[in-house]
Amino acid sequence: MSHTALKLNLDGELSIREISTLHARLMDARTSEEPVTLDGEHVVRVDTPGLQLLASFVSERASCGRQTSWSAASAALRDGARLLGLESLLALDSLQTDSETH
C-alpha cells in the first residue's frame, strides 16, 4: 500500500481575517493518515492567531504519530514563527533559506 502526501498550499494571509477558511482547510487534513506537506512559500502576512492555529494543527498531528512537513516557507511566515518562538514547534527550523543554500 503506497502513501502519497497530502499537500496544502498556504497562500496570502494566515491571519485572523482568514482564520475560518484556514481552520476549515486544516481540519479537513487533520486526521489524514497520509503525510501532510505544507507549502507556505506564498504567505505574505501572518499574525498570532494564524500561527497558533498552524501550531495546534502540527502539534495535534504529531501527538497522533502523523507526519507533517514543509516544502517551503516565506520570509513572512518564518519571521512570524520566530518572533513567537514557534519555529521549532512548526518544524520550520529544518528548512533552509535561499541564503543558506548559496
Side-chain angles (χ1 to χ4, degrees):
M1 179 161 104
S2 75
H3 292 281
T4 26
L6 174 63
K7 186 171 184 179
L8 288 177
N9 293 315
L10 307 174
D11 298 349
E13 291 188 23
L14 301 180
S15 67
I16 191 73
R17 271 193 266 178
E18 303 297 326
I19 203 83
S20 63
T21 302
L22 178 60
H23 183 266
R25 292 181 66 211
L26 293 176
M27 291 307 103
D28 286 344
R30 179 178 58 102
T31 58
S32 172
E33 293 295 329
E34 305 301 327
V36 172
T37 301
L38 301 171
D39 183 347
E41 181 176 14
H42 300 290
V43 172
V44 295
R45 184 176 177 277
V46 298
D47 66 9
T48 301
L51 286 168
Q52 288 174 325
L53 182 58
L54 274 179
S56 175
F57 173 78
V58 172
S59 179
E60 181 179 350
R61 285 188 51 81
S63 71
C64 295
R66 296 183 180 123
Q67 182 183 356
T68 307
S69 61
W70 293 87
S71 61
S74 69
L77 178 57
R78 289 171 162 277
D79 291 345
R82 190 176 307 114
L83 283 171
L84 294 178
L86 294 175
E87 209 171 21
S88 287
L89 178 76
L90 289 171
L92 286 170
D93 53 358
S94 64
L95 284 175
Q96 289 186 332
T97 62
D98 288 341
S99 63
E100 292 171 339
T101 58
H102 293 102

